[in-house]
Amino acid sequence: MADTAKPKTGTARSSGTRRRGRRDTAAGLAGETPDVLLDYYRQMLFIRRFEERTAQAYTQARIGGYCHLNLGEEATVVGLMTALQQRDYLFTNYRDHGYAIGKGMDPKRVMAELYGRSDGVSRGWGGSMHMYDTETRMLGGYGIVGGQLPLATGAALAISYRGGDEVVMCQMGDGTTNIGAWHESLNIAKLWNLPIVFVVINNFTGMGTTVDMSSAEPELYKRGSAFRIEGERVDGRDVLAVRDTAARLVERAREEQTPFLLEAWSHRMKGHSVVDPAKYRTDEQKDEARSEENDPIALFGARLSEAGILTDELRDELAASVKEEVAEAADFAENSPHPDVSTLFDYTYATPVPNESRRMPADPVFAE
Ligand SMILES: Cc1ncc(C[n+]2csc(CCOP(=O)(O)OP(=O)(O)O)c2C)c(N)n1
């Protein structure tokens, strides 16, 4: 087990400004080409602006239901999605918009799903928590905490059974590590040597409950050891570190046909969901979570600027093009029709269920 970039506490406390004052060399930027680095920067910025637009649309009542954002987790999202091959499968919790886009879904259709419109990836019936698309192999956003774990483990079993070389990545939050499905899934995954990487996004809180308050072992990457699953921790604010660590574990899962556990820590910039004012956090904690020191985009932007890759001009250009693309997604969603009410039960049950107001969904379909 590796122990890198270690958070000492379950509260939203920074582990320091490791990047400050250090001049990045090409090696510090993983020897990557400027094009690749700028692409990561743009992807992170895109998720940031997309989520901000989502929050705005929510307050305008264009988006309904529950809605959770990836603000502060952009480097983790982009790093993880870059580590996956196209043929690999992804399962996430409800904080799924950035992942859906990162796995290859059209942002316009993701926004349309948020608006509950028929051009959405789940035809408008899923909403924020249920992005799903077999083509890009994003097999869901799940609203039940831990609900994705047994399903992801089952997908890994299917791969193993068929002798495939795909890998499953299963994302979740820190709070999920105390759900029964966590223990059952990790146990089976190791017992049956399944090609799956469980990724815990440690943003230090499950809603308002800190990791220290909820976990007897708050060093989350160690939690796989009960199942003899190797675990690593990575600084989730660092897109390159996340990419490299995740890619290594994904490829090992593919080669060795065995599960791994990755913990990526970063700060949740806002409340648990768009309607949560996060009153359980002190002003100091709020400031810290939103500070430049913990903002993955500001951190990476500074590194690229220092290395002479991101000029002021380029920064403005990227900001403008991202703004435009997000606005296009919102326009697309706005202009997409609402799904027809007659399709309400079409995608809920495997067998047909008549859409009758007097019959409850669970009632037998063909009862006399
Ligand atoms: C089984 C279940 N219990 C409770 C909830 C309510 N709930 C929604 S999110 C959440 C917190 C989960 O926190 P974490 O796993 O850390 O994920 P994060 O929101 O930080 O991404 C809870 C308790 C739920 N959706 N499902």
Side-chain angles (χ1 to χ4, degrees):
M1 289 192 298
D3 181 1
T4 56
K6 175 180 168 196
K8 289 287 183 206
T9 162
T11 58
R13 184 174 301 165
S14 163
S15 78
T17 56
R18 170 168 101 71
R19 297 286 170 206
R20 280 279 157 91
R22 184 163 79 76
R23 196 174 166 79
D24 258 311
T25 58
L29 289 165
E32 270 304 350
T33 62
D35 282 355
V36 168
L37 297 168
L38 288 170
D39 179 50
Y40 294 160
Y41 177 82
R42 190 186 191 281
Q43 284 190 54
M44 291 197 288
L45 191 64
F46 186 84
I47 294 171
R48 174 72 53 89
R49 298 289 171 258
F50 187 95
E51 294 291 55
E52 287 167 354
R53 183 65 191 234
T54 297
Q56 186 190 14
Y58 195 93
T59 58
Q60 293 166 337
R62 286 180 158 74
I63 295 173
Y66 293 106
C67 188
H68 313 78
L69 308 175
N70 290 126
L71 296 173
E73 300 174 357
E74 296 89 347
T76 304
V77 177
V78 173
L80 291 176
M81 292 305 94
T82 308
L84 287 182
Q85 305 287 333
Q86 243 176 342
R87 65 184 183 285
D88 295 333
Y89 293 92
L90 174 69
F91 289 76
T92 71
N93 68 3
Y94 40 81
R95 207 177 288 286
D96 59 349
H97 315 159
Y99 291 92
I101 294 167
K103 192 70 176 78
M105 284 190 213
D106 182 349
K108 290 190 179 116
R109 297 197 57 211
V110 174
M111 190 64 94
E113 188 58 44
L114 286 162
Y115 276 57
R117 305 299 175 96
S118 58
D119 290 310
V121 291
S122 303
R123 298 188 174 91
W125 290 124
S128 166
M129 303 197 290
H130 305 110
M131 300 296 163
Y132 185 95
D133 179 35
T134 47
E135 208 170 296
T136 51
R137 303 199 164 186
M138 157 58 166
L139 297 192
Y142 290 85
I144 300 298
V145 171
Q148 72 274 36
L149 272 83
L151 297 175
T153 305
L157 173 61
I159 293 169
S160 171
Y161 189 75
R162 293 170 180 165
D165 78 336
E166 304 93 340
V167 169
V168 176
M169 180 176 280
C170 180
Q171 175 269 17
M172 73 202 81
D174 46 84
T176 310
T177 59
N178 299 312
I179 286 270
W182 156 271
H183 303 279
E184 294 171 12
S185 303
L186 268 72
N187 185 55
I188 286 287
K190 187 62 185 184
L191 202 58
W192 292 348
N193 292 316
L194 304 181
I196 180 166
V197 179
F198 296 100
V199 182
V200 176
I201 311 300
N202 185 0
N203 58 21
F204 311 105
T205 37
M207 297 183 117
T209 307
T210 64
V211 173
D212 284 343
M213 283 169 75
S214 59
S215 293
E217 173 50 274
E219 304 282 356
L220 300 179
Y221 73 99
K222 294 181 181 170
R223 299 280 298 274
S225 59
F227 313 98
R228 300 190 173 183
I229 294 179
E230 238 179 270
E232 288 196 36
R233 172 185 277 158
V234 69
D235 180 345
R237 304 167 306 173
D238 182 341
V239 65
L240 296 176
V242 174
R243 178 197 67 172
D244 293 344
T245 311
R248 183 159 39 74
L249 297 185
V250 165
E251 290 321 311
R252 282 189 67 190
R254 201 185 312 279
E255 289 299 312
E256 299 170 30
Q257 291 290 298
T258 197
F260 289 93
L261 170 61
L262 175 62
E263 173 191 351
W265 65 273
S266 62
H267 295 261
R268 198 188 69 201
M269 292 180 127
K270 296 237 168 144
H272 167 73
S273 71
V274 288
V275 296
D276 172 19
K279 287 192 174 151
Y280 42 82
R281 276 178 171 173
T282 63
D283 286 345
E284 193 196 2
Q285 285 172 330
K286 284 182 190 167
D287 289 346
E288 191 178 23
R290 294 173 199 173
S291 71
E292 282 207 357
E293 287 168 16
N294 286 315
D295 178 339
I297 301 176
L299 285 170
F300 197 53
R303 290 172 71 184
L304 296 187
S305 298
E306 270 184 48
I309 293 168
L310 184 65
T311 58
D312 287 349
E313 200 186 359
L314 201 48
R315 193 189 291 266
D316 292 347
E317 256 175 49
L318 287 171
S321 83
V322 161
K323 191 176 170 193
E324 198 182 316
E325 204 187 327
V326 170
E328 277 171 18
D331 286 347
F332 176 83
E334 190 72 54
N335 293 320
S336 173
H338 287 278
D340 197 287
V341 176
S342 67
T343 65
L344 183 58
F345 297 142
D346 283 4
Y347 312 107
T348 308
Y349 300 95
T351 49
V353 174
N355 180 16
E356 292 175 17
S357 54
R358 279 161 303 151
R359 200 195 304 254
M360 296 305 284
D363 287 349
V365 183
F366 301 115
E368 289 300 313

